């Protein structure tokens, strides 16, 4: 809903500024949309674009992205005619939408916005503002984003967005907090519980391991569907955490199994530090 709203807003605003011959403003509006599309919608949806996770949601996410890119190619056509044409042709063949021979034969997108669109847009802006300030606070106190925290309280949202919980879930996922609640009684704009329980610490270690293994997958030229076998050697407490969370970790990194202790049966390896402890990780393609 949000990215389609932003697309409509962009088409309307660019059309208005073009009628005023304010081409500097049109460039800024287009740049702002590209930033929102790439750094928020696509980044926040990266797991949705993996067919292995949820085929139904993958279909929805990719269809929306295809539609957005197709319509966006019409908006940028007057400014970047050759790139817009290449983008249009690359998308049109894979869409069920009726496409013309060229993007330059298309009509200008007839975008319209409603009160609900304004509500969604304002609510998401507030969520992103909260995310920026909370992430800045985490950085200031030295708690990595991969370390989960238990609770974030926010003073409130000015928006009257009906489906508020989904937005709070997005905020919680972005700042890696288990629960986000609205509490109008807090003195500051937000309060972050920085108490790290043993359970939260273990989850943070597993996330750090997952990130390291994903980087190892990439350096080994693995594609998302490739199954792997992981060998881990490290401090006893790290190995114990991995054993307890083995099933979830295997699912995150698409591994068939995890073995403990060093081995020469691997295709690539890395030695790193996890929670100040040295850990050796070997990866074997299956």
């Amino acid at each position: 809903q949000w990215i389609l709203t932003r697309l409509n807003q962009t088409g309307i605003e660019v059309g208005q500024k073009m009628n005023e011959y304010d081409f500097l403003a049109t460039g800024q509006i287009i740049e702002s949309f590209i930033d929102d599309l790439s750094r928020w919608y696509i980044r926040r949806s990266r797991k949705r674009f993996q067919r292995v996770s949820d085929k139904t949601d993958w279909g929805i996410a990719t269809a929306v992205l295809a539609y957005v890119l197709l319509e966006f190619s019409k908006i940028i056509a007057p400014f970047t005619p050759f790139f817009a044409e290449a983008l249009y042709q690359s998308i049109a063949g894979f869409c069920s939408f009726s496409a013309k021979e060229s993007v330059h034969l298309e009509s200008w997108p007839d975008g319209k916005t409603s009160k609900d669109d304004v509500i969604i847009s304002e609510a998401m802006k507030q969520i992103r503002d909260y995310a920026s300030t909370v992430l800045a606070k985490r950085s200031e106190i030295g708690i990595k984003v991969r370390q989960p925290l238990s609770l974030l309280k926010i003073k409130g949202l000015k928006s009257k967005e009906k489906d508020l919980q989904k937005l709070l879930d997005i905020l919680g996922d972005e700042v890696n907090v288990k629960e986000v609640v609205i509490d109008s009684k807090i003195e500051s704009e937000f309060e972050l519980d920085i108490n790290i329980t043993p359970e939260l610490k273990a989850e943070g270690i597993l996330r750090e391991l997952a990130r390291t293994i994903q980087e190892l997958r990439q350096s080994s030229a693995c594609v998302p569907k490739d199954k792997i076998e992981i060998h881990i050697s490290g401090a006893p407490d790290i190995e114990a955490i991995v054993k307890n969370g083995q099933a979830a970790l295997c699912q995150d990194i698409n591994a068939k199994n995890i073995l403990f202790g060093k081995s020469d049966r691997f295709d690539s390896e890395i030695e790193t530090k996890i929670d100040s402890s040295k850990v050796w990780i070997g990866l074997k393609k299956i």
Side-chain angles (χ1 to χ4, degrees):
Q1 283 183 294
W2 173 78
I3 195 59
L4 293 175
T5 294
R6 285 290 292 117
L7 176 68
N8 287 336
Q9 289 173 335
T10 300
I12 292 169
E13 292 171 6
V14 169
Q16 289 172 345
K17 293 302 178 183
M18 287 177 71
N19 288 334
E20 298 169 8
Y21 291 90
D22 189 348
F23 301 117
L24 176 60
T26 60
Q28 292 170 338
I29 293 166
I30 288 171
E31 182 180 9
S32 175
F33 177 78
I34 292 171
D35 186 74
D36 284 351
L37 176 65
S38 60
R39 295 194 181 191
W40 192 247
Y41 179 73
I42 292 178
R43 184 177 62 81
R44 294 279 327 135
S45 304
R46 59 188 180 274
K47 287 186 178 179
R48 301 177 65 202
F49 294 127
Q50 297 176 7
R51 190 193 291 262
V52 294
S53 56
D54 185 333
K55 290 184 180 179
T56 301
D57 194 46
W58 171 84
I60 295 170
T62 51
V64 169
L65 181 58
Y67 174 78
V68 169
L69 292 174
L70 196 71
E71 292 299 297
F72 185 60
S73 69
K74 303 173 189 178
I75 295 174
I76 62 174
F79 307 96
T80 56
F82 298 107
F83 175 74
E85 181 69 14
L87 178 60
Y88 182 85
Q89 295 297 339
S90 68
I91 299 295
F94 297 95
C95 292
S96 58
F97 319 114
S98 57
K100 297 186 182 295
E101 187 178 350
S102 168
V103 67
H104 302 291
L105 298 177
E106 287 278 9
S107 300
W108 184 259
D110 185 21
K112 295 179 181 179
T113 56
S114 64
K115 288 183 179 180
D116 286 342
D117 292 333
V118 174
I119 290 172
I120 290 169
S121 184
E122 288 180 351
M124 190 65 84
K125 183 181 183 304
Q126 288 180 277
I127 289 296
R128 295 180 73 181
D129 288 344
Y130 270 123
S132 296
T133 53
V134 173
L135 289 173
K137 183 65 176 178
R138 290 189 65 132
S139 177
E140 178 187 329
I141 59 182
I143 299 178
K144 293 181 178 180
V145 180
R146 284 182 292 276
Q147 172 59 60
L149 296 175
S150 60
L151 179 65
L152 169 66
K153 293 181 180 180
I154 61 175
K155 203 168 186 68
L157 290 176
K158 297 175 183 177
S159 167
K160 296 179 181 179
E161 167 63 35
K162 295 177 182 178
D163 201 0
L164 189 60
Q165 190 54 51
K166 285 185 179 179
L167 292 174
L168 296 183
D169 290 343
I170 290 172
L171 175 58
D173 190 52
E174 179 69 9
V175 300
N176 198 10
V177 172
K178 295 289 186 181
E179 184 182 12
V180 181
V181 298
I182 294 176
D183 186 348
S184 59
K185 296 179 182 179
I186 61 176
E187 295 182 2
S188 57
E189 280 301 305
F190 72 90
E191 287 183 2
L192 183 63
D193 185 350
I194 60 173
N195 179 45
I196 301 174
T197 64
E199 292 78 14
L200 288 173
K201 184 177 181 180
E203 190 174 338
I205 289 172
L206 288 173
R207 287 200 177 198
E208 190 75 26
L209 280 167
R211 180 194 64 85
T212 303
I213 293 169
Q214 293 291 16
E215 290 178 353
L216 198 57
R217 283 184 65 108
Q218 290 179 1
S219 65
S220 304
C222 290
V223 297
K225 66 179 181 180
D226 288 344
K227 283 285 186 181
I228 58 173
E229 181 180 270
I230 291 296
H231 298 252
I232 291 180
S233 177
D237 58 332
I238 299 291
E239 290 193 7
I241 288 171
V242 174
K243 287 175 183 176
N244 288 334
Q246 187 167 344
L249 182 57
C250 282
Q251 186 174 1
D252 283 347
I253 61 176
N254 198 22
K256 186 176 180 181
N257 54 13
I258 297 175
L259 303 176
F260 297 91
K262 284 195 174 184
S263 168
D264 56 359
R265 295 171 50 241
F266 59 86
D267 296 311
S268 57
E269 65 176 319
I270 187 172
E271 190 166 89
T272 185
K273 277 193 173 183
I274 304 291
D275 192 38
S276 302
S277 297
K278 284 186 179 181
V279 177
W280 175 88
I281 302 171
L283 179 149
K284 178 178 176 59
K285 294 180 184 179
I286 299 177

